């Protein structure tokens, strides 16, 4: 027979056995900006379609955008926020409207 010896149990250092600490990704607010040309019903439609707001909530946000100059439409991780902005601006351009959104980083908790 061969002289193969099985090693005894090898213990891993604590660094390899501890669970990784997951961190929440940085979040970004998508802020819709007011302009003097985009129709209010178009803004409501965008809020319902891309931000999944109810008709009532969309109307409230649209009025806030109109009266205060801007409103937060949602808070998302960076990639999703960028996608939402792209979707809104593409729909706006295809509809002939200058509606714009920006994103602002949320403070870390």
């Amino acid at each position: 027979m061969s002289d193969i010896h099985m090693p005894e149990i090898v213990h891993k250092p604590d660094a390899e056995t501890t669970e990784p600490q997951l961190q929440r990704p940085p979040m970004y607010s998508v802020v819709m900006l007011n302009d003097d040309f985009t129709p209010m019903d178009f803004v409501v439609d965008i809020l319902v379609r891309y931000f999944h707001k109810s008709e009532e909530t969309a109307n409230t946000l649209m009025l806030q955008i109109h009266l205060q100059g801007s409103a937060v439409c949602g808070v998302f991780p960076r990639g999703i926020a960028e996608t939402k902005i792209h979707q809104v601006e593409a729909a706006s351009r295809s509809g002939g409207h200058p509606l714009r959104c920006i994103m602002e980083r949320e403070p870390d908790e």
Side-chain angles (χ1 to χ4, degrees):
M1 297 232 153
S2 67
D3 291 336
I4 298 176
H5 297 286
M6 295 299 292
E8 294 190 24
I9 297 175
V10 177
H11 296 284
K12 293 183 177 182
D14 287 341
E16 292 180 23
T17 58
T18 58
E19 291 294 318
Q21 297 296 317
L22 300 178
Q23 295 180 352
R24 183 178 170 162
M27 301 298 279
Y28 293 81
S29 296
V30 175
V31 180
M32 191 172 289
L33 305 175
N34 185 46
D35 64 69
D36 294 332
F37 304 102
T38 305
M40 292 179 179
D41 60 335
F42 184 81
V43 173
V44 170
D45 182 56
I46 291 290
L47 291 166
V48 169
R49 186 181 321 163
Y50 296 109
F51 295 96
H52 308 288
K53 303 296 184 186
S54 68
E55 194 79 23
E56 182 179 343
T57 301
N59 276 299
T60 301
L61 281 171
M62 176 274 298
L63 287 173
Q64 182 181 348
I65 294 163
H66 180 69
L67 298 173
Q68 298 176 9
S70 66
V72 174
C73 301
V75 179
F76 310 97
R78 183 182 184 108
I80 295 173
E82 289 172 342
T83 299
K84 297 283 185 190
I85 291 170
H86 176 74
Q87 289 173 328
V88 167
E89 292 184 354
S92 297
R93 298 308 166 266
S94 69
H97 305 297
L99 184 63
R100 289 192 55 235
C101 291
I102 59 171
M103 66 181 196
E104 297 175 347
R105 186 173 175 157
E106 289 285 297
D108 293 330
E109 295 174 9

